[in-house]
């Protein structure tokens, strides 16, 4: 933990995330399914990368592999200058806890805890004191994401969209260096979705690097770069010019999607 | 598809399956053994006592006997089928030696006897009435086992005109005195040798006035009539049912222990079944859910799991039963040796089979009960991996507050305890029961060993005792000993008690003999179960048996009849006594004229650090020929068997208890992990390391265990009291407070907690992301 924090200069100099030739295949009996087929991805500090692609193209798998939740069959992942392969399970876990935030495709909240406690859990675990400030910040985040008044509810007492926003609050609260979002707006209506995207962009502007999987062109339009995946390969990549207005960028994404048949 | 599924789950739980079958084997073997032993005992003890013609009533008496009056009395009692004055020639143990080793340290009183003619036969192990040849001696099985005596070895009796050497011809079965609980033992010799010893020593034998009736139950009325007629009775009296209890006690305790152990093991097996079954169901949950959604009927799913356990448990039962049959030899050998042939081995096996069948039905019935939980699995929930088998749907409460770091882990653990309260409650109850099982037997050990314990049994808390029984000079010798030790710095207190047999009249007009120990009751105080010790010469306290026999309670008045005069005595207390057949009483001052032959007892307390052996030698130098007993030997010889059984039981209990604690902890942590695999996967994804997860389980298991252990320590008091009542009751003692040993208690609790912690720690080692994605997917 200390070794990571003691080398900020090194971190500044290198890419935050560097994945090379990732292959992830599943073997079941004789059949081998290759989900990721040689994906390379570099994300620099401060970037907002959107990952798009048809269902089953390997977007979630890519996210899992580069965050150390899953292990690639081959290929290397360097996260914040650290080679994931050189870490054991607990090392990767610690790295996730300290540097990464995650919004899963399914919200995955703990039923034993209230909504607020769920949001606090990973940040409070990493923190050393200052629990009350964390709490205040969590309540602010809930306010912003439209979860005000739900703090003491049980997980089974809120809707799917609310769960997803709680899951987002949980990921944002710890101010991770790198936030992974797997369709964080999938369960939301367009108004709520717009607010969430606003929030993501706000944190990105404050320096949080983001990799977000989405099917939504309006979400992707907020990114600095859009990556297209199909059959486990990167098939297209677009840099979005933030000098132009949002509508134009959205149009650019839609065109790319149409070209790839997404 | 379901069949494949079950086969898969059986293979997955191979270790637990083997363990379960193993438990069943043990339980079945124990049940069968206990039942075979019981059946063997029930038949054999009665047959043995019939074979030996054990007396139905026996009155001991030392001194002159009016035979004409006795014969006249018997003629008036047609229920007497036979009677015999069986002589027992008591000899000092110091005059006897086995293979040259004197019998000095023996607590049992030893006497020479000849084979009686009408009853109380001393039988060979083949069941024959032994007729010893001149120069032959037969020893009781008790001495044979204790001193490892064999045929051809020698017993020497030291006589004034040279030793008499006798050759051991074998061991005999004594239906009356063989038990350690009986205070004397007899050696069987030929009429000639008996006569030689008697004339050489010049002592009168003790009379064992023995009677057999048309029915053993007539002993009670006969005894009352005997005392009413004022016949000789200065020793204790015994009856057939007492002999029966004494003869079967050891084996009965063994059978009882086997039953208790079988019960405990069945309980463990049931718990294991509960945990493994629930774990299995949890693991197969997704599949079960899908099957249910597709329309497979619940009964079908259930019957397949049920079959698995029936096969497993059935096999265990059969193997256990057969094992017990194969191993029955050594188990029944003891019974066979003492009781002769073992009664109805087929009946025993049959009873065992029935017992095992019942056992099997009970356990499979329990499996059926647990399987009913399956009904609670809703197909949709099951598909989503949520069983609701043990977790509640209660609303969570805020737990984190402002906490950070490791405190978060503990708080999450508390939230989980709250969420699956039932499961954690089971752990609390288990820890509680285990603690009770661990602590109670050890408390018995401490209690037996505490110097105070004997005061519950009619024995003062003294270090040395000199018994001066049936000798004309008992009181003068007692005084000599007192004078000898008066200024001895090693001695802190000497008291001489005069033991008299008086005749008393009870409030309802009955006249009966009563042994009274005269002396200062405050010197070596006894525990009184009611009232207190006498403090004035007109007060008396009675042993519980005597109080019952005389029909008096505290506050009543009895009259001591003395040469035409009557001295009223108020009963101020009752106490438990195991000496002299339990029939004694205590008063302060004796009558001026003491009846002959007199008896006395000198009890001596030593100053700390004094050597009892040296003081004994001082006494023997002053009064040659007396026997000085050390109290520690006294207790250990009388209760030695019981103490070692309790010790063995205590160790067995603690080992079993700790093993169960570990097993239960392991199984329940496993069940929790299976139930919470998705939650654990999530936590791992969010940065909870192995240490965090492990700590969570440690907090959950330890919090419940510690609570259970504390409750168990509290519960051990009342439970100990109840068990104490039952166990001490068998040696005729009541109202004993169990000794609380803080060290054993703390150690016991620590061991339980530590073993549970260790198992939890080691079974939570794998906090791996392997399969993490799969689990997050659900
Ligand atoms: N354990 C597994 N065994 C075999 N194939 C698997 C396994 N897990 C995932 N897959 C396959 O990998 C492919 C990619 O899955 P992934 O979840 O990454 O897709 P995705 O792009 O996130 O799709 P969606 O947009 O629907 O979430 C799918 O075709 C899936 O069937
Ligand atoms: Mg996906």
């Amino acid at each position: 933990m200390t070794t990571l924090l003691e080398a900020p200069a090194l971190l500044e100099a290198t890419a935050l995330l560097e994945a090379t030739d990732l292959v992830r295949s599943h073997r079941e009996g004789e059949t081998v399914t290759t989900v990721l087929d040689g994906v390379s991805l570099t994300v620099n500090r401060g970037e907002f990368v959107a990952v798009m692609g048809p269902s089953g193209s390997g977007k979630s798998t890519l996210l899992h592999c580069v965050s150390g939740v899953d292990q690639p069959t081959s290929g290397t992942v360097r996260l914040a200058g650290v080679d994931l392969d050189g870490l054991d399970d607990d090392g990767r876990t610690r790295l996730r806890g300290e540097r990464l935030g995650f919004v899963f495709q399914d919200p995955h909240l703990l039923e034993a805890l209230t909504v607020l406690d769920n949001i606090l859990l990973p940040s409070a675990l990493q923190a050393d004191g200052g629990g009350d400030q964390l709490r205040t910040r969590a309540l602010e985040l809930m306010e912003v994401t439209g979860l005000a008044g739900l703090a003491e509810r049980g997980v089974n007492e809120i809707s799917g969209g609310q769960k997803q926003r709680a899951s987002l609050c949980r990921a944002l609260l710890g101010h991770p260096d790198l936030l992974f979002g797997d369709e964080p707006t999938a369960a939301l209506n367009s108004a709520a979705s717009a607010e969430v995207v606003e929030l993501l962009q706000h944190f990105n502007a404050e320096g949080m690097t983001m990799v977000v999987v989405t099917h939504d062109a309006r979400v992707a339009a907020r990114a600095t770069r859009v990556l297209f995946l199909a059959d486990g390969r990167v098939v297209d990549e677009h840099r979005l010019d933030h000098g132009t207005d949002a509508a134009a960028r959205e149009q650019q994404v839609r065109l790319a999607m149409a070209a790839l048949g997404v | 598809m379901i069949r494949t599924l079950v086969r898969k789950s059986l293979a997955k739980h191979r270790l637990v399956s083997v363990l379960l079958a193993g438990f069943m084997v043990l339980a079945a073997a124990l049940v069968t053994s206990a039942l075979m032993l019981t059946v063997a005992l029930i038949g054999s003890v009665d047959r043995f006592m019939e074979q030996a013609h054990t007396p139905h009533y026996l009155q001991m008496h030392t001194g002159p006997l009016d035979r004409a009056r006795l014969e006249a009395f018997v003629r008036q009692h047609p229920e007497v089928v036979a009677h015999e004055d069986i002589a027992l020639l008591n000899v000092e143990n110091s005059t006897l030696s086995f293979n040259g080793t004197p019998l000095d340290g023996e607590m049992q009183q030893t006497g020479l006897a000849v084979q009686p003619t009408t009853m109380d036969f001393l039988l060979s192990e083949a069941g024959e009435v032994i007729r010893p040849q001149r120069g032959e001696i037969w020893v009781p099985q008790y001495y044979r086992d204790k001193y490892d005596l064999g045929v051809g070895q020698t017993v020497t009796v030291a006589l004034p005109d040279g030793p008499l050497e006798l050759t051991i011809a074998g061991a005999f079965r004594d239906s009356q005195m063989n038990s350690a609980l009986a205070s004397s033992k007899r050696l069987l010799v030929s009429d000639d040798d008996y006569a030689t010893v008697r004339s050489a020593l010049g002592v009168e034998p003790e009379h064992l006035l023995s009677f057999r009736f048309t029915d053993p139950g007539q002993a009670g009325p006969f005894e009352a009539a005997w005392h009413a007629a004022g016949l000789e009775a200065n020793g204790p009296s015994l009856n057939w049912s007492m002999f029966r209890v004494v003869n079967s006690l050891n084996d009965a305790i063994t059978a009882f222990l086997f039953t208790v152990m079988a019960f405990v093991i069945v309980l463990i097996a049931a718990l294991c079944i509960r945990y493994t079954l629930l774990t299995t169901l949890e693991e197969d949950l997704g599949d079960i859910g899908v099957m249910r959604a597709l329309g497979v009927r619940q009964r079908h799913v259930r019957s397949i799991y049920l079959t698995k356990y029936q096969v497993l448990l059935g096999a265990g039962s059969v193997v256990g039963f057969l094992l017990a049959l194969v191993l029955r030899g050594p188990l029944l050998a003891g019974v066979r040796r003492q009781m002769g042939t073992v009664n109805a081995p087929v009946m025993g096996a049959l009873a065992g089979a029935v017992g095992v069948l019942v056992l099997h039905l009970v356990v499979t019935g329990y499996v059926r009960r647990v399987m009913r939980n399956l009904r609670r699995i809703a197909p949709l929930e099951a598909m989503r991996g949520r069983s609701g088998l043990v977790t509640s749907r209660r609303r969570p409460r805020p737990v984190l507050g402002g906490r950070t770091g490791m405190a978060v882990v503990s708080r999450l653990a508390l939230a989980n305890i709250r969420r699956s309260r039932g499961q954690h409650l089971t752990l609390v109850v288990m820890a509680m029961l285990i603690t009770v099982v661990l602590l109670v037997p050890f408390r018995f050990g401490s209690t037996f060993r505490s110097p105070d314990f004997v005061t519950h049994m009619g024995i003062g808390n003294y270090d040395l005792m000199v018994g001066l029984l049936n000798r004309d000079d008992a009181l003068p010798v007692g005084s000599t000993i007192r004078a000898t030790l008066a200024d001895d710095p090693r001695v802190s207190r000497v008291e001489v008690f005069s033991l008299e047999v008086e005749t008393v009249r009870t409030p309802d007009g009955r006249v009966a003999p009563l042994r009274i120990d005269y002396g200062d009751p405050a010197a070596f105080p006894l525990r009184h179960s009611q009232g207190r010790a006498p403090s004035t010469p007109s007060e008396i306290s009675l042993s519980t048996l005597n109080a019952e026999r005389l029909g008096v309670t505290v506050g009543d008045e009895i009259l001591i009849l003395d040469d035409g005069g009557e001295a009223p005595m108020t009963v101020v207390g009752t106490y438990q006594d195991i000496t002299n057949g339990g029939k004694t009483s205590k008063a302060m001052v004796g009558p001026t004229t003491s009846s002959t032959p007199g008896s006395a007892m000198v009890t001596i307390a030593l100053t700390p650090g004094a050597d009892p052996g040296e003081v004994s030698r001082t006494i023997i130098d002053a009064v040659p020929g007396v026997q000085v007993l050390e109290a520690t030997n006294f207790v250990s010889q009388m209760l030695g068997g019981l103490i070692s059984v309790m010790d063995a039981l205590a160790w067995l209990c603690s080992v079993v208890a700790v093993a169960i604690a570990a097993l239960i902890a392991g199984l329940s942590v496993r069940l929790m992990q299976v139930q919470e695999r998705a939650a654990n996967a999530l936590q791992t994804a969010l940065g909870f390391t192995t240490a965090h997860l492990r700590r969570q389980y440690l907090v959950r298991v330890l919090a419940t265990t510690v609570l259970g252990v504390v409750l168990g320590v509290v519960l051990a008091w009342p439970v100990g009291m109840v068990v104490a009542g039952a166990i001490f009751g068998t040696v005729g003692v009541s109202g004993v407070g169990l000794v609380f040993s803080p060290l054993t208690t703390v150690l016991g609790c620590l061991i339980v907690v530590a073993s549970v912690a260790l198992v939890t720690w080691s079974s939570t080692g794998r906090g791996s992301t392997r399969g993490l994605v799969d689990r997050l997917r659900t």
Side-chain angles (χ1 to χ4, degrees):
Chain A
M1 158 176 156
T2 43
T3 50
L4 290 176
L5 295 179
E6 274 163 8
L10 187 74
L11 295 184
E12 291 299 334
T14 55
L16 190 53
L17 169 64
E18 218 177 342
T20 325
D21 289 334
L22 291 184
V23 175
R24 179 70 173 100
S25 51
H26 294 282
R27 167 188 288 274
E28 206 158 331
E30 296 295 296
T31 46
V32 176
T33 325
T34 302
V35 178
L36 289 184
D37 192 7
V39 176
S40 294
L41 168 67
T42 304
V43 179
N44 290 320
R45 193 165 280 275
E47 263 197 298
F48 184 156
V49 178
V51 180
M52 302 192 84
S55 181
S57 56
K59 307 183 292 292
S60 296
T61 307
L62 174 64
L63 246 54
H64 291 148
C65 282
V66 297
S67 61
V69 167
D70 197 2
Q71 278 177 279
T73 314
S74 68
T76 56
V77 178
R78 287 177 72 80
L79 242 177
V82 179
D83 197 336
L84 284 193
D85 238 8
L87 295 176
D88 60 1
D89 256 334
D90 269 350
R92 286 195 294 270
T93 302
R94 221 170 284 133
L95 182 70
R96 272 198 305 276
E98 284 157 15
R99 319 220 80 168
L100 307 185
F102 229 114
V103 183
F104 299 100
Q105 193 160 3
D106 281 337
H108 292 303
L109 300 173
L110 291 176
E111 290 183 18
L113 297 180
T114 62
V115 174
L116 177 61
D117 279 347
N118 260 294
I119 292 171
L120 285 171
L121 189 68
S123 317
L125 179 72
Q126 300 302 333
D128 182 12
D132 290 332
Q133 291 95 294
L134 261 184
R135 224 178 112 83
T136 315
R137 286 224 320 271
L139 287 169
E140 277 168 20
L141 271 174
M142 288 181 75
E143 184 91 42
V144 175
T145 50
L147 295 177
L150 300 182
E152 310 288 82
R153 289 270 184 98
V155 170
N156 291 321
E157 296 169 302
I158 60 174
S159 75
Q162 288 166 336
K163 280 187 201 173
Q164 198 162 36
R165 278 174 280 169
S167 161
L168 177 66
C169 292
R170 178 175 64 190
L172 289 174
L173 184 62
H175 264 288
D177 294 342
L178 179 53
L179 179 93
F180 292 105
D182 198 346
E183 303 189 34
T185 59
L188 305 181
N189 62 31
S190 53
S193 173
E195 276 168 26
V196 164
V197 172
E198 205 65 56
L199 194 66
L200 288 180
Q201 207 167 26
H202 167 78
F203 275 90
N204 179 235
E206 285 194 344
M208 192 185 291
T209 314
M210 302 203 171
V211 178
V212 174
V213 171
T214 183
H215 285 293
D216 190 338
R218 276 169 302 178
V219 177
R222 306 296 179 115
T224 50
R225 185 152 61 107
V226 187
L227 222 65
F228 286 91
L229 237 60
D231 295 330
R233 290 168 195 273
V234 179
V235 289
D236 199 1
E237 187 174 347
H238 290 265
R239 260 178 207 290
L240 299 185
D241 181 2
H242 280 253
T244 62
D245 70 347
R249 292 197 305 269
E250 196 181 316
Q251 191 55 35
Q252 187 185 353
V253 172
R254 281 191 200 286
L255 280 172
M257 284 170 74
L260 291 163
V262 179
Chain B
M1 174 195 182
I2 307 173
R3 240 163 245 293
T4 335
L5 182 74
V6 168
R7 202 169 314 125
K8 221 169 60 188
S9 94
L10 221 153
K12 204 159 42 179
H13 303 289
R14 191 173 295 140
L15 181 70
V16 184
S17 299
V18 168
L19 207 67
L20 267 182
F23 277 136
M24 207 59 191
V25 168
L26 255 182
L30 284 170
V31 164
T32 311
S33 300
L35 283 170
M36 285 198 302
L37 197 57
T38 310
V39 169
L41 271 178
I42 290 171
S44 304
V45 172
D46 287 349
R47 255 176 27 160
F48 168 45
M49 289 177 67
E50 221 25 75
Q51 213 182 358
H53 283 68
T54 309
H56 293 159
Y57 177 70
L58 187 150
Q59 174 67 57
M60 299 188 193
H61 179 77
T62 314
L65 187 68
D66 185 343
R67 288 182 196 282
R69 187 172 57 155
L70 175 66
E71 292 301 329
F73 178 80
V74 168
R75 271 194 297 279
Q76 284 167 14
H77 288 270
E79 73 269 23
V80 175
V81 175
H83 70 284
E84 184 170 351
D85 172 15
I86 297 171
L88 184 62
L89 191 65
N90 286 314
V91 291
E92 297 284 347
N93 280 339
S94 53
T95 62
L96 287 173
S97 40
F98 292 158
N99 295 322
T101 315
L103 209 53
D104 279 337
E106 179 56 52
M107 280 301 309
Q108 292 278 345
Q109 214 175 46
T110 315
L112 295 187
V114 297
Q115 183 68 262
T117 51
T118 58
M119 67 182 82
D120 200 9
F121 295 129
L122 307 176
L123 303 171
S124 72
E125 287 180 353
E128 293 144 1
V129 177
I130 301 163
R131 305 284 171 203
Q133 302 295 306
R134 189 184 187 121
E136 263 182 22
I137 189 165
W138 291 70
V139 296
Q141 291 175 320
Y142 177 84
Y143 278 167
R144 190 256 323 262
D145 296 341
K146 185 167 177 181
Y147 295 105
D148 205 13
L149 303 177
V151 174
Q153 296 178 340
T154 53
V155 175
T156 315
V157 189
L159 299 175
D161 43 354
L164 174 67
E165 293 234 331
L166 299 165
T167 309
I168 297 178
F172 64 86
R173 297 189 276 136
D174 187 336
S175 70
Q176 201 204 107
M177 301 185 187
N178 189 59
S179 163
L181 290 174
S183 59
S184 37
K185 295 283 163 281
R186 45 186 164 178
L187 303 172
L188 178 60
V189 293
S190 66
D191 293 1
D192 291 340
D193 290 324
Y194 180 86
T196 308
V197 175
R198 181 175 169 182
S199 64
L201 289 176
V203 289
E204 282 300 311
E206 185 179 0
H207 305 282
L208 311 181
L209 304 171
S210 307
F211 301 86
R212 278 177 69 85
F213 310 114
T214 46
D215 171 58
Q218 279 147 337
F222 184 83
E223 178 179 21
W226 178 275
H227 289 307
L231 290 171
E232 293 84 352
N234 64 6
S237 64
L238 301 162
N239 61 47
W240 191 82
S241 47
M242 291 163 88
F243 295 136
R244 193 168 186 272
V245 168
V246 161
N247 277 327
S248 43
L249 197 64
N250 273 341
D251 295 300
I253 288 178
T254 312
F256 173 75
L257 286 184
F258 276 28
T259 313
V260 168
M261 269 157 58
F263 188 71
V264 169
I265 286 173
V266 169
L267 262 181
I268 306 169
L271 267 163
C272 291
I273 289 172
R274 192 189 136 77
Y275 279 118
T276 47
L277 200 48
L278 288 180
T279 309
T280 314
L281 291 184
E282 283 289 347
E283 285 181 345
D284 300 344
L285 206 60
D287 299 338
I288 294 174
V290 174
M291 287 190 297
R292 296 275 296 114
L294 296 179
V296 176
R297 280 198 302 176
Q298 214 154 52
R299 201 178 333 134
H300 194 47
V301 178
R302 200 162 61 219
S303 78
I304 281 171
Y305 281 94
L306 210 57
T307 313
K308 165 187 157 182
Y309 282 93
Q310 262 162 351
V311 169
L312 211 61
L313 298 174
S317 300
V318 171
V319 171
F321 174 71
L322 294 178
L323 200 68
L325 281 191
V326 171
L327 296 180
R328 75 182 185 282
L331 178 72
L332 297 179
V335 181
R336 185 175 289 119
R337 247 183 6 176
Q338 206 204 324
M339 311 296 169
T341 51
V342 171
N343 196 37
V346 180
M347 271 292 295
L350 213 64
V354 171
V356 169
L357 191 67
V358 170
L359 179 76
H360 180 75
L361 289 180
V362 167
V363 177
T364 46
Y366 180 71
V367 173
R368 215 175 281 270
R369 243 185 75 90
V370 177
M371 286 302 294
R372 258 194 259 148
N373 282 322
L374 205 56
R375 204 173 299 162
R376 283 200 262 150
I377 302 180
L380 197 66
E381 296 280 287
M383 276 194 288
R384 292 167 60 192
R386 268 204 266 130
S387 66
L389 279 185
V390 274
T391 55
S392 74
R393 283 293 154 81
R394 73 178 66 239
R395 189 178 198 179
R397 228 186 254 158
V399 288
L400 293 189
R403 284 170 187 80
T404 57
M406 270 300 185
V408 170
V409 178
S410 312
R411 286 284 150 165
L412 181 55
L414 291 185
N416 275 316
I417 292 179
R418 224 181 89 77
R419 188 170 131 78
S420 37
R421 221 174 256 195
Q423 200 176 3
H424 289 88
L425 199 67
T426 316
L427 278 180
V428 172
V429 173
M430 276 315 302
M432 185 174 80
L433 293 181
I434 282 165
T435 309
V436 170
V437 169
L438 185 76
L439 292 185
V440 169
F442 273 114
R443 287 203 181 155
F444 277 94
S446 317
T447 305
F448 275 128
R449 276 197 191 76
S450 76
D452 220 26
F453 181 67
V454 288
T455 64
H456 290 282
M457 305 193 300
I459 302 169
N461 196 357
Y462 45 75
D463 298 303
L464 294 174
M465 193 267 271
V466 187
L468 306 161
L469 299 181
N470 304 318
R471 47 198 287 174
D472 298 335
D473 58 351
L475 280 178
V477 170
S479 303
T480 311
I481 296 174
R482 192 198 332 242
T484 309
L485 300 177
D487 298 321
D488 197 318
R490 298 167 300 176
V491 172
S492 63
R493 178 132 208 186
V494 186
E495 192 66 25
V496 181
F497 293 90
S498 163
L499 318 178
E500 313 284 348
V501 177
E502 309 275 14
T503 308
V504 299
R505 180 177 291 139
T506 63
D508 56 6
R510 272 189 292 148
V511 172
L514 177 66
R515 181 182 129 165
I516 305 179
D517 303 352
Y518 290 106
D520 183 2
F524 296 96
L526 299 180
R527 292 298 168 101
H528 281 66
S529 41
Q530 271 172 2
R532 55 176 174 82
S535 57
T536 71
S538 64
E539 290 177 343
I540 189 169
S541 65
L542 302 175
S543 71
T544 311
L545 274 182
N546 263 336
E548 276 169 22
R549 186 171 65 101
L550 301 177
V552 295
T553 55
V554 173
D556 288 345
E557 195 165 88
I558 57 174
L559 297 173
I560 297 186
L561 309 178
D562 186 25
D563 298 337
E566 292 187 346
M569 299 278 257
T570 309
V571 179
V572 293
T574 60
Y575 57 89
Q576 294 288 343
D577 199 348
I578 63 164
T579 63
N580 195 51
K583 293 169 187 167
T584 62
S585 63
K586 310 280 177 193
M588 291 192 73
V589 194
T592 44
T593 58
S594 79
S595 53
T596 47
S599 294
M601 175 174 79
V602 186
T603 55
I604 299 144
L606 302 181
T607 49
D611 179 2
E614 283 177 14
V615 180
S616 298
R617 250 164 274 136
T618 310
I619 297 171
I620 293 168
D621 287 347
V623 191
V626 295
Q627 198 176 357
V628 184
L629 300 176
E630 289 181 27
T632 49
N633 291 342
F634 194 45
V635 174
S636 70
Q637 290 208 15
M638 197 157 43
L639 294 175
L642 202 54
I643 291 179
S644 57
V645 166
M646 287 308 303
D647 277 354
L649 188 66
W651 282 108
L652 186 75
C653 279
S654 50
V655 169
V656 169
V658 170
I660 298 174
L663 184 69
I664 302 280
L667 287 174
S668 58
V669 166
R670 173 100 186 86
L671 176 59
M672 288 178 192
Q673 281 178 319
V674 168
Q675 279 167 344
E676 294 156 12
R677 59 209 144 165
N680 287 345
L682 173 65
Q683 287 169 44
T684 310
L686 294 179
F688 278 69
T689 59
T690 307
H692 290 132
L693 291 179
R694 178 179 270 164
R695 188 187 161 98
Q696 233 186 99
Y697 282 106
L698 276 174
V699 169
R700 288 165 69 176
V701 174
L702 284 185
T704 47
T705 307
V706 167
L707 178 64
V709 165
V710 169
L711 290 177
V713 170
V714 174
L715 192 69
W717 283 112
V719 169
M721 283 308 172
V722 171
V723 182
I727 290 192
F728 292 133
T730 63
V731 291
V733 180
S734 71
V736 179
L738 282 185
V739 173
F740 174 85
S741 152
L743 186 69
T744 343
T745 306
V746 169
L747 269 181
C749 295
L750 280 183
I751 289 172
V752 170
V753 172
S755 64
V756 164
L758 193 70
V759 168
T760 308
W761 191 85
S762 61
S763 59
T764 46
R766 287 159 293 155
S768 148
T769 44
R770 211 171 309 136
L772 185 60
V773 182
D774 291 336
R775 287 175 203 160
L776 284 176
R777 224 179 259 283
T778 52

